Amino acid sequence: AGVEVGLKDIIAVAGVPMECGSEVMAGYTPRTDATVVRRFRDAGATITSKLNLDEFAGSGRGTTGRGPPVRNPHDPERTAGGSSGGSAVAVATDRVDVSLGTDTGGSVRIPAGFCGVVGLKPTYGLVPLSGVVENTYTQDHVGVFADETAPVAAALDAIAGTDSDDPASLAAAGRDDYECGGYASAVEDGADLDDLEVGVLAEGFGEGVADRVAESTRAALDRLEDAGAAVREVSVDGFDYGPAVKNLLSLTELAVHWRDDAAPYRRGGVVDDGYQAAFADRARAASGKLDTFYKAKLLAGAHVVETHGGRRYTRAQAVREVLREEFDAALDGVDALALPTMPDVAPRIEAAGDPGFDYARNTRAANVTRLPAVSLPNGTVDGLPVGFQLMGEAFGERELLGAAAAVEPHLG
């Protein structure tokens, strides 16, 4: 009760415009609340704002949305990251207590890392997607931002759990390892550092990660070890397949979603039919106004579908399961995997579109495998925030957030 919540503007609030950061949806107003909105209100929270994002949540840059780019609160000449950039900035500037974003390849953890706040991507299916605009449904997650782990856990307690309108949440609840609730208590109790075992993911420090970020992360791991945690290196052989798998899944699903006027194939037919009709009408009328980056994604996805049918997509789904098994093996015997959130500090806005900067280098694996991951602030390098990422087991948010709470005081 009394918590002020901001929402990324692809999360529906009845009677309030939802424009998805795009000219395509300008002026659209949903008729119903997203499930997470109802649950926050039932818990006593107040929804106070809708927050800026990259167009249709389609980029990690923070620069492709309708209107000006989302600027970093630590240096307004730099990007806040995306696609949930406004959600991170609202927390970092104390405009809200908690905010929600979505994360399909890192879109909660990227801006959390760049802006110096906590950002959690839960296990796929733990938080319902009902009333959330689809990006690539099999990798979409609703995630939480706050300035510390405790309010993130409290928010997750409020919004997690199965929803009859969301097939993903129903499928999740049917798994043997499904657990829900108790997150705030887990953070309050914390984990004992003397009992904490951290697996340092070797591939998270490989080519493409700036030395200054790797050194900052290693220094934090040294402090944890000095404080009593057990730290050892682990490896995931298939880590480098992540980009190909993520892109084949995302681009194919995105192209089909647009081609078929937002038909809710993977949502079991449960969707606001007003949104579907509005999307169909507006997409045809305003597609020429799409950002070049987003349009390129649609064209790439259409090429994959038309050239290869579903073969590449099916192959990517199979490799996704192999990667999940490899990450499960790496997590065996440790409480969490640790790696830098971002490969470098936030770039300047004019350089944010550099294709050589892989925003999702260290974040996409959690979406491909659907495992939970959290970015914690780890001080600054050259005056700019650095994120420290922990990954956990499926539906192991209690353990992950407990470990995060134990780690938090020892970060930069």
Side-chain angles (χ1 to χ4, degrees), residues 34-35 49 62 74 78 145 182-183 185 204 206 212 227 259 262 273 279 317 374 379 386 401:
T35 297
S49 55
H74 297 265
R78 295 178 183 270
F145 295 88
Y183 310 116
S185 297
R212 56 186 175 179
R259 182 194 68 190
D273 57 357
F279 181 93
Q317 289 280 28
V374 61
V386 175
L401 289 168

Side-chain angles (χ1 to χ4, degrees), residues 215-240:
E215 290 166 3
S216 173
T217 308
R218 294 283 187 190
L221 289 164
D222 288 343
R223 291 193 295 274
L224 289 176
E225 195 165 25
D226 290 343
V231 177
R232 62 181 174 87
E233 190 164 290
V234 299
S235 183
V236 172
D237 291 339
F239 183 88
D240 290 338

